[in-house]
Amino acid sequence: MKGFKQFLMRGNVVDLAVAVVVGTAFTAVVTSLVKTIFTPLIAAIFGKPDFSALTFTLNGSVFRYGEFINSVIAFLSVAVVIYFVVVLPLKTINDRRARGQIPPEEDPVLTDEARLLTEIRDLLAERRPTS
């Protein structure tokens, strides 16, 4: 049980769990944006809000290619939203930072207590016998 607890408390497992939860929440937001904004926009342009009724029949088999069109439109809409809302702004910030327009975050200033603790640690490390 102790090993299992250590496995769960490792940083990367917790980080992964947080990423999944945030990703799920973000997916819900993007899906809502696609359904409420982009789908009506596509309906205004093409005259059809839903392509699922589009079919063709071949030798008695019905092919519902409209569902595929809906899925492709939803995927492309989500990809466009993610690119313009997440990827492009982060890329712009990183490019500005690389050019020096946005100053990098400064190193934290050590308090007097932290500086003294660092000195004590270093002195103790010097006194430790080598093996």
Side-chain angles (χ1 to χ4, degrees):
M1 209 53 182
K2 182 179 178 182
F4 181 69
K5 182 180 176 183
Q6 287 175 341
F7 168 73
L8 288 178
M9 298 310 290
R10 285 190 341 206
N12 54 356
V13 173
V14 175
D15 290 344
L16 180 61
V18 170
V20 167
V21 170
V22 170
T24 303
F26 186 71
T27 299
V29 170
V30 172
T31 302
S32 174
L33 179 68
V34 168
K35 284 183 179 179
T36 60
I37 303 295
F38 288 116
T39 301
L41 183 64
I42 290 169
I45 294 170
F46 294 107
K48 278 192 160 194
D50 185 14
F51 297 103
S52 61
L54 298 176
T55 62
F56 71 89
T57 306
L58 183 65
N59 290 333
S61 295
V62 178
F63 293 86
R64 302 183 190 284
Y65 68 93
E67 279 295 326
F68 178 72
I69 292 173
N70 281 344
S71 297
V72 168
I73 289 171
F75 170 76
L76 291 175
S77 300
V78 169
V80 165
V81 168
I82 289 174
Y83 179 76
F84 285 108
V85 172
V86 177
V87 174
L88 190 61
L90 288 176
K91 181 182 179 308
T92 303
I93 289 171
N94 287 335
D95 290 347
R96 286 184 183 171
R97 183 171 287 139
R99 287 185 301 218
Q101 291 180 355
I102 298 175
E105 295 178 14
E106 296 179 13
D107 291 334
V109 178
L110 291 178
T111 63
D112 290 336
E113 292 86 7
R115 192 173 299 114
L116 285 173
L117 287 171
T118 304
E119 289 176 16
I120 292 169
R121 180 201 62 203
D122 294 343
L123 288 171
L124 288 173
E126 287 175 7
R127 300 178 90 191
R128 190 174 301 150
T130 58
S131 304

